[in-house]
Amino acid sequence: MAVVLPNRRLTLYALEHPWVRDANGVPVPPPPDQRAEPRGTWPGSALEQADDTWSLRLDPAAWPVEPGDIVGDESGMTWTVTTARNHRVPGCPDADYVQATATRNPPKVP
């Protein structure tokens, strides 16, 4: 098991969930320029992956985290969450974290 240490302070901007639904029952996300209020700022990590996605580790207090939520750091960098899961370590709550995959805003241009 690899340990990823915090390398920045991350703020979660969580959108209202569940999203409103259209007449067919399909979730409709809010406009892309709508930014939610920050839920909190915690030590975390952001690591760029070989496929240009980012692996984010958030404090478990950030849960729930949903696709479409925005995560930002103290330098002004932001990411849009694509997947998230609440990782719990039985018997060791100090090792709990939220694992998220995200894309950078704006995406890196080759």
Side-chain angles (χ1 to χ4, degrees):
M1 171 180 178
V3 175
V4 177
L5 297 174
N7 60 7
R8 59 189 80 206
R9 294 189 55 80
L10 299 176
T11 301
L12 176 68
Y13 299 90
L15 298 169
E16 285 293 321
H17 293 287
W19 292 338
V20 295
R21 296 183 177 266
D22 66 14
N24 298 317
V26 176
V28 178
D33 60 345
Q34 179 182 341
R35 189 163 194 179
E37 291 296 315
R39 186 181 292 164
T41 301
W42 305 275
S45 70
L47 301 170
E48 188 172 13
Q49 305 301 298
D51 64 356
D52 292 330
T53 62
W54 286 74
S55 175
L56 306 178
R57 298 283 198 286
L58 301 162
D59 190 280
W63 191 256
V65 179
E66 300 282 345
D69 289 346
I70 304 295
V71 176
D73 72 3
E74 66 275 0
S75 73
M77 224 171 158
T78 63
W79 301 267
T80 300
V81 174
T82 53
T83 64
R85 94 181 161 97
N86 195 8
H87 182 81
R88 298 201 170 273
V89 179
C92 189
D94 290 341
D96 294 349
Y97 63 94
V98 174
Q99 163 65 48
T101 303
T103 56
R104 184 174 171 190
N105 301 325
K108 185 166 74 173
V109 178

